[in-house]
Amino acid sequence: MEDDAPVIYGLEFQARALTAQTAETDAIRFLVGTQSLKFDNQIHIIDFDDENNIINKNVLLHQAGEIWHIGASPADKAVLTTCYNKSESYCFLLSLAPFTKLGSFALSLSVSLSLDSRVVSCAAVWRMPSDWETGSHESPDDSAHNPQTLELLCHLDDSAHSNAACVLWEPMGDGKRVISLADNHALLWDLQESSTQATVSSTATLEGKGQLKFTSGKWSPHHNCSQLATANDTAIRGWDLRTMSQIYCIENAHGQLVRDLDFNPNRQYYLASCGDDCKVKFWDVRNVQEPVKSLEEHSHWVWSVRYNHSHDQLVLTASSDSRLILSNMVSISSEPFGHLVDDEELSEGEDNHQEDKSKEPLKDSVVSTYEEHEDSVYAAEWSSADPWLFASLSYDGRLVINRVPRALKYRILL
Amino acid sequence: MDGEAVGSEAVSEDSGPGRRHRVHGMLKLYYGLNEEGKAEEQPESLDPCDINGPHFDPELFLNKLRRECSLAELMDQETCMVKQIRSLDSDMQTLVYENYNKFISATDTIRKMKNDFKKMEDEMDCLSANMAAITEFSARISGTLQDQHAQITKLSGVHTLLRKLQFLFELPARLNKCLELQAYAQAVRSHRRARCVLQQYSHLPSFKGIQDDCHAIMDKLAQELRQKFRDGGSSAKDLSECVELLLQLDEPAEELCDKFLSHAQSRLESDLQGLEAEIRPYPSASAMKDASGHRLSSTAAAGSPTYNSPKTSTIPSPTSNTDILEFIDRGCNEFVSSLCLVITSYQELFINHAQKGELASKNIPQMANGKLNAFVDDLAARYFSLVERRIQEEKGVADNSLLVRALDRFHRRLQAVTKLLPGSAVPNQGTEIVIRAATERVKQYLSALQSFYMDSLTDVRQALATPRLSVASASVAGGGAHLGGPASGRDAPNSLPELLSSLSASILNQIKSVLASVHLFTAKDITFSNKPYFKGEFCSQGVRESLVVSFIKFVCQSSRQFCESAGDKGGSTPPALLLLLSRLCLDYETSTISYILTLTDEQFLVQHHSPVTPVTTLCAEAREAAQKLLNHYVKVQGLIISQMLRKSVETRDWVNTIEPRNVRAVMKRVVEDTTSIDVQVGLLYEEGVRKAHSSDSSKRTFSVYSSSRQQARYAASYTPSAPMDTNLLSNIHKLFSERIDIFSSVEFNKVSVMTGIIKISLKTFLECVRLRTFGRYGLQQIQVDCHYLQMYLWRFVSDENLVHFMLDEIVGSSAHRCLDPAPMEQSVIEVICERG
């Protein structure tokens, strides 16, 4: 059972933002947002042809700025959100006045130009042009032809709250509600009129001493999507979206910064987190004193943790040690004893019987370590179409598509 | 010549065959039919020329001679033959003559004997006639005397009977008299003599009267004896006499045993109560005075031989009532010795004595033995429980010799019981108590060692913390936030190795002294030391495993706990302590463990071949602990520097910053702290191997070299025309350089430790830079900072290329994140950095 070799795709720019196209359940499709300060940023739509092991890409321009976070609507394939940095370097004309003020000082240092520029983090909802697919099919390899541009639906900023760290879509929702995390605020937006208008319906504010700032968050798919988990510094907090109040708090969840969170799709109280202490921890939010389980496989900060959407024992972690690790956490999964085989299936044939006999109780283990990246891996995502497939993105713009090893896949399935 | 040869042959043949035949006979007997014999016989018989052979043929012989020999030889042969024949003739004549003479003398002797026998026959006839006459006379005499003899016999019979009757009639009076004189023994003897006669003739009224009288008197006597027995005040000898007499009076032995034992029990009981009273006041120290008063009164009330109670009262020790030696002494002197006395006298009375007399038939020895054993077991159990309670109270580990001496005495005294009662379980139980006490003691020593270790760690912690306070306050003024840890390293240098050596020496001393104390248990002059347990299991399982090995394991384990507990909370343990412990564990691995175990094995010659933990396992454990501690140290120190770098990157507005004029203070701080960590680590760990680097004396050449490389990279990365080229160079670099594991295991040397710390710090710097956006001057500031770091950090690491590479990466990344990348002139950077 040879496993297929990983498929590698290189972007021209550095990149951090990766998401699966959530609403697309037929094609294996990932969206990547690039980070470049000098060129127009792009969104790469990457289609993976599973049968031929080929990648098809389409590029859409995202001229607003470098993309730090990307999220795909669960309802509409064409709608997505980005968090981006807008560097307002053009405003140096406006800053001539401050330049003259600083004039004497600047001249003494023989500096010819002084920039008073600002970098602003924004969030927005976009729609892909409807014909991006047909347009690219005509000349798939022609990178010279002008790529199409994303159509802006609305901004998710208001004057009071800016610096969005990430935007979260309501899981399995109708694509009408998003949450953006900006500084120390969590904003719940209602999108109206085919997402062209966004209004803040409620907000929650993190209060405490010092400059608190959300680093990441996750909208729980359980409890009717009424819960949100956020990370700031070393703490993880749970919020009730109906009252916008805190419901639990895991202080010092990690020794250092918490980088990412994910909810177990099948067990409502289970939550995975990762951070700068190189650890991945699994929590039962009903008991926040101790993690249920803690892994320490990476040799540097762990930036992303993702549960498989269907088989929650499979956990993917990405780290700045340039590695991607797939772990099999059977003991805390929703199927701790493996797949329960029906009696009918048992009587089907001898093959099944033999399989059963050879099947030992599975143990928590690292399934494999993927070392295709040569720079820090900041994002990893499971495909929404094929549960056995995942993509990872490293800073140098390398996207790698991998599959769960077949041996493990069959063990889980059979 | 030939004749001589033949002659010699003939002579030899003379003796040869005879001997040979004898030998043959024996051989044949032994082997059955022997083939060899035949083979040897055949040539002898077949040769017709053998002159001595049975098949000799003169004709053939002559022919042969004539045919084979020359004339001269024939002549010689002839003379020789003649000579032989002549000598044979003379021999025969001598023989015949000698035999004739002997025959003549024999005939003479026979004739003489015939005459002598005739005379003797006559004398014998005369003797038999005389004998017949004597027989006749004696028969006549006895016939005449018969009547008188019968009369005499009858008279003497009557006389004896009369004597007996007189004795009987006098018996009551005599018994009374004996009773008066308290000559019980005589009375009993007399009564026993008369008893059966009286029994036999009791149908006669007069005898009946005597018997009744006697019975009455004897009952009285028995009463008196019993009374005496019950009083018990009498000496052991009297007592035994009493019992003996009572036994002879057919008093039931069982009852007597019971009485005797219950009597003895009451006395021993009082001893035990005395002992118990000594323990009882122990639990409540506050009620000591009350209790001791109570104890005195209770011992007085017991009324036992109180020669010991004044002694206890004269030593009113302020903390505890009596020490264990005193207690055991008292137990031995009072209880055990009187127990022994009881056993001896009991055995004397009921067992040894009974075996001799007619009582043996009644199975009394068995019954008495059973009772005695039950009695002894019961009392001993109570005694043991008291002793055990007392031993359990012996908690302090200060003076082990006292306990050992006490146990020794306890055990030694019990040997007396063993001698008296060979089958008893008492000595075994006693040994078990000793064993339990020993194992308990070993446990106490282990916990004492553990608490000692923890205490010394606390001391070390304090020693590390005291100088730190002063320095920390000074450094806070300097403006650093997380500076506590490395600052301790700055002041500690002198004391760190000293602390380590004093810690390790004090632990070793403590172990040695504990071993010495425990060794007392196996000293030669201690009675229980030659028990199999103390020779084998105690040494291997008790001392080696549950004391020494457990302690070493504890050290490793507690060290490991420092890593785990501190892991999340960000280091409650001072890093210097981690470093020190790591070195301690490493020392343990390299030498101390094997030293301690050898010491133990030498002191406790282990004869017991039960599985013991091998040295290698312990060493591996210690090494693992050392590794873990060192890794943790690297992590903690790296984290402290990382935090500084991270804060410095995160809190600055890199877009709108002024042109760099000097190195940021944080970087100086980083270098300072790294240097102090380097010093700290250098105190405890060796330098280690580093890859050959460009001549370390000339920093200048190094910086030029690196700057040229940097320049080349910038040139590549800033060509705006080809976006694909952006990372080409760094990617190529990465292709050929090994993957760098940031939080990885380090080796036990300074360079490796420093490399680990610097790796962690620089990687943090890189990741933070990547999250920011830079203006032109921001980039230049990073350039300056990185150059500064490069100038100072390369010397700490094993491979300077690592520092170069990571710093290049930082500068490269910040160039990418720069809105207006215009790098600073290398020469300007150098000037700024050199300025400080």
Side-chain angles (χ1 to χ4, degrees), chain B residues 505-691:
Chain B
S506 68
I507 291 174
L508 202 59
N509 277 337
Q510 195 70 15
I511 290 178
K512 275 184 188 163
S513 73
V514 163
L515 280 181
S517 318
V518 174
H519 195 244
L520 290 175
F521 280 109
T522 59
K524 282 224 165 51
D525 55 336
I526 302 291
T527 44
F528 51 76
S529 68
N530 56 8
K531 291 274 167 200
Y533 171 79
F534 281 96
K535 280 196 159 168
E537 213 188 327
F538 179 72
C539 293
S540 70
Q541 293 304 316
V543 176
R544 200 194 132 112
E545 289 300 303
S546 54
L547 184 65
V548 179
V549 173
S550 300
F551 176 66
I552 294 171
K553 281 188 174 162
F554 170 79
V555 169
C556 296
Q557 212 171 343
S558 69
S559 308
R560 278 204 302 269
Q561 271 166 2
F562 277 114
C563 306
E564 280 148 22
S565 61
D568 288 342
K569 274 88 194 170
S572 54
T573 329
L577 182 63
L578 291 174
L579 189 67
L580 190 137
L581 283 178
S582 146
R583 183 70 224 191
L584 184 74
C585 285
L586 192 67
D587 286 346
Y588 266 62
E589 189 252 335
T590 47
S591 59
T592 317
I593 287 180
S594 59
Y595 172 70
I596 294 175
L597 284 184
T598 322
L599 196 75
T600 315
D601 289 346
E602 270 169 12
Q603 280 196 16
F604 300 88
L605 290 171
V606 177
Q607 299 157 341
H608 195 66
H609 292 291
S610 59
V612 290
T613 318
V615 181
T616 46
T617 331
L618 287 178
C619 285
E621 200 165 321
R623 194 179 178 84
E624 194 195 324
Q627 182 76 62
K628 215 164 175 186
L629 282 164
L630 196 61
N631 287 350
H632 192 64
Y633 173 77
V634 168
K635 211 168 171 177
V636 169
Q637 293 286 37
L639 191 66
I640 291 167
I641 296 183
S642 291
Q643 291 286 6
M644 274 194 282
L645 286 168
R646 181 204 285 247
K647 285 266 148 58
S648 80
V649 175
E650 277 176 0
T651 50
R652 199 181 172 104
D653 179 4
W654 290 98
V655 179
N656 305 306
T657 181
I658 53 159
E659 184 168 17
R661 295 161 76 188
N662 40 29
V663 181
R664 283 187 300 150
V666 178
M667 293 301 155
K668 292 181 184 166
R669 184 78 223 188
V670 166
V671 170
E672 259 171 50
D673 284 355
T674 315
T675 314
S676 70
I677 292 171
D678 183 64
V679 171
Q680 192 180 45
V681 177
L683 288 173
L684 294 181
Y685 278 99
E686 295 76 33
E687 181 73 21
V689 207
R690 55 175 91 224
K691 284 188 187 163

Side-chain angles (χ1 to χ4, degrees), chain A residues 16 37 66 68 111 117 256 276 278 296 299-300 320-323 371 373-376 378 395, chain B residues 568 635 639 646 655-656 659 720 724 734 739 741-743 763-764 767 770-771 777 816-818:
Chain A
R16 280 173 186 268
L37 291 165
E66 53 174 6
W68 288 82
V111 174
S117 54
Q256 300 175 56
D276 285 2
C278 309
E296 194 169 2
S299 69
H300 201 244
S320 42
D321 64 359
S322 318
R323 289 193 183 93
E371 312 218 357
H373 293 288
E374 270 150 16
D375 206 331
S376 306
Y378 293 130
Y395 189 61
Chain B
D568 288 342
K635 211 168 171 177
L639 191 66
R646 181 204 285 247
V655 179
N656 305 306
E659 184 168 17
M724 282 297 280
K734 279 180 195 167
R739 191 182 280 269
D741 274 338
I742 304 303
F743 289 103
K763 179 75 176 178
T764 307
E767 292 295 339
R770 282 182 174 181
L771 289 170
Y777 297 132
H816 274 299
R817 305 285 317 142
C818 183

Side-chain angles (χ1 to χ4, degrees), chain A residues 10-14 16 35-39 66 68 85 87 89 105-106 109-119 252-257 259 276-279 281 290 296 298-301 303 320-323 370-376 378 395-398, chain B residues 567-570 635 639 642-643 646 650 653 655-661 717-724 726-727 730-731 734-735 739-744 759-760 763-768 770-777 809 812-813 815-821:
Chain A
L11 281 77
E12 293 91 342
F13 301 115
Q14 287 165 333
R16 280 173 186 268
Q35 284 197 315
S36 172
L37 291 165
K38 299 168 202 73
F39 305 97
E66 53 174 6
W68 288 82
N85 271 8
S87 60
S89 55
F105 177 64
L109 286 170
S110 71
V111 174
S112 59
L113 180 71
S114 171
L115 280 176
D116 185 9
S117 54
R118 224 152 47 89
V119 177
N252 285 323
H254 284 266
Q256 300 175 56
L257 218 63
R259 290 277 171 193
D276 285 2
D277 56 0
C278 309
K279 287 181 184 156
K281 292 186 180 179
E290 283 290 314
E296 194 169 2
H298 286 291
S299 69
H300 201 244
W301 306 350
W303 286 75
S320 42
D321 64 359
S322 318
R323 289 193 183 93
Y370 300 94
E371 312 218 357
E372 281 84 18
H373 293 288
E374 270 150 16
D375 206 331
S376 306
Y378 293 130
Y395 189 61
D396 54 5
R398 180 179 292 187
Chain B
D568 288 342
K569 274 88 194 170
K635 211 168 171 177
L639 191 66
S642 291
Q643 291 286 6
R646 181 204 285 247
E650 277 176 0
D653 179 4
V655 179
N656 305 306
T657 181
I658 53 159
E659 184 168 17
R661 295 161 76 188
S717 19
Y718 302 144
T719 43
S721 58
M724 282 297 280
T726 15
N727 319 334
S730 86
N731 279 347
K734 279 180 195 167
L735 271 182
R739 191 182 280 269
I740 304 165
D741 274 338
I742 304 303
F743 289 103
S744 56
K759 266 197 306 192
I760 293 174
K763 179 75 176 178
T764 307
F765 195 12
L766 172 67
E767 292 295 339
C768 291
R770 282 182 174 181
L771 289 170
R772 304 286 296 177
T773 309
F774 295 85
R776 172 195 288 184
Y777 297 132
E809 192 87 351
S813 287
H816 274 299
R817 305 285 317 142
C818 183
L819 295 168
D820 176 26

Side-chain angles (χ1 to χ4, degrees), chain A residues 19-59:
Chain A
T19 185
Q21 197 177 23
T22 323
E24 177 63 81
T25 49
D26 297 328
I28 299 163
R29 186 171 297 156
F30 293 99
L31 305 177
V32 181
T34 64
Q35 284 197 315
S36 172
L37 291 165
K38 299 168 202 73
F39 305 97
D40 275 343
N41 281 290
Q42 303 164 337
I43 286 187
H44 288 237
I45 303 164
I46 291 164
D47 273 288
F48 180 64
D49 183 347
D50 197 19
E51 279 165 25
N52 303 316
N53 250 16
I54 296 172
I55 281 179
N56 287 315
K57 63 148 187 175
N58 287 286
V59 178

Side-chain angles (χ1 to χ4, degrees), chain B residues 12-259:
Chain B
S12 70
E13 286 289 300
D14 220 38
S15 59
R19 205 175 60 225
R20 214 176 268 165
H21 274 293
R22 243 187 11 251
V23 171
H24 275 206
M26 280 155 80
L27 279 173
K28 270 183 189 168
L29 264 173
Y30 191 71
Y31 288 113
L33 192 66
N34 198 333
E35 281 194 81
E36 200 202 342
K38 271 183 191 168
E40 243 182 89
E41 239 169 304
Q42 270 169 357
E44 199 182 311
S45 56
L46 278 178
D47 187 8
C49 301
D50 184 2
I51 201 158
N52 294 318
H55 298 274
F56 178 62
D57 189 342
E59 220 33 56
L60 267 172
F61 182 64
L62 254 171
N63 284 341
K64 190 185 167 216
L65 277 180
R66 264 196 303 237
R67 229 181 10 252
E68 289 173 359
C69 303
S70 66
L71 184 64
E73 278 170 344
L74 276 178
M75 292 296 283
D76 285 346
Q77 185 83 29
E78 200 246 334
T79 48
C80 173
M81 199 97 77
V82 169
K83 215 185 278 170
Q84 280 180 10
I85 290 167
R86 216 173 273 152
S87 81
L88 280 173
D89 272 348
S90 73
D91 281 355
M92 196 151 75
Q93 274 175 13
T94 336
L95 268 177
V96 168
Y97 179 74
E98 277 175 3
N99 284 342
Y100 180 75
N101 271 352
K102 279 174 189 164
F103 181 71
I104 296 292
S105 71
T107 323
D108 285 351
T109 316
I110 290 169
R111 195 179 298 136
K112 205 175 167 192
M113 274 169 68
K114 248 183 191 168
N115 288 340
D116 288 353
F117 273 121
K118 207 163 270 172
K119 219 194 290 172
M120 265 166 68
E121 221 164 85
D122 292 347
E123 279 173 13
M124 287 306 286
D125 283 345
C126 179
L127 185 65
S128 70
N130 285 349
M131 286 305 288
I134 289 169
T135 318
E136 200 187 331
F137 275 123
S138 106
R140 214 182 292 158
I141 289 168
S142 64
T144 48
L145 287 180
Q146 198 156 26
D147 286 348
Q148 282 173 332
H149 183 245
Q151 232 166 346
I152 287 169
T153 317
K154 199 177 167 189
L155 279 174
S156 87
V158 171
H159 177 73
T160 344
L161 189 65
L162 284 175
R163 285 262 307 271
K164 278 185 185 163
L165 281 176
Q166 189 188 5
F167 176 75
L168 281 181
F169 288 129
E170 280 175 6
L171 188 61
R174 191 195 289 241
L175 287 178
N176 267 333
K177 201 173 176 194
C178 284
L179 201 56
E180 259 169 53
L181 292 172
Q182 294 200 326
Y184 301 121
Q186 209 187 341
V188 172
R189 217 178 304 131
S190 312
H191 178 247
R192 271 177 65 200
R193 274 165 65 192
R195 193 163 48 179
C196 48
V197 180
L198 288 172
Q199 192 69 36
Q200 202 179 342
Y201 295 101
S202 55
H203 55 277
L204 298 177
S206 55
F207 284 103
K208 180 82 177 157
I210 293 171
Q211 195 185 14
D212 289 349
D213 284 353
C214 284
H215 268 301
I217 294 166
M218 289 318 284
D219 281 349
K220 203 171 154 198
L221 188 138
Q223 209 79 42
E224 233 165 283
L225 279 175
R226 250 176 257 145
Q227 185 58 44
K228 195 173 159 194
F229 181 58
R230 208 171 296 135
D231 283 350
S234 48
S235 73
K237 202 182 159 201
D238 285 349
L239 208 63
S240 66
E241 200 183 83
C242 251
V243 172
E244 198 179 325
L245 293 177
L246 281 171
L247 276 177
Q248 282 174 358
L249 285 176
D250 271 351
E251 201 75 8
E254 212 170 328
E255 209 174 287
L256 277 179
C257 290
D258 286 345
K259 266 189 195 153

Side-chain angles (χ1 to χ4, degrees), chain B residues 13 68 87 107 142 168 349 369 373 412 436 459 525 662 705 803 829:
Chain B
E13 286 289 300
E68 289 173 359
S87 81
T107 323
S142 64
L168 281 181
L349 287 177
N369 240 336
N373 277 337
R412 200 188 293 273
R436 269 201 294 277
D459 290 349
D525 55 336
N662 40 29
Y705 152 76
V803 174
I829 296 175

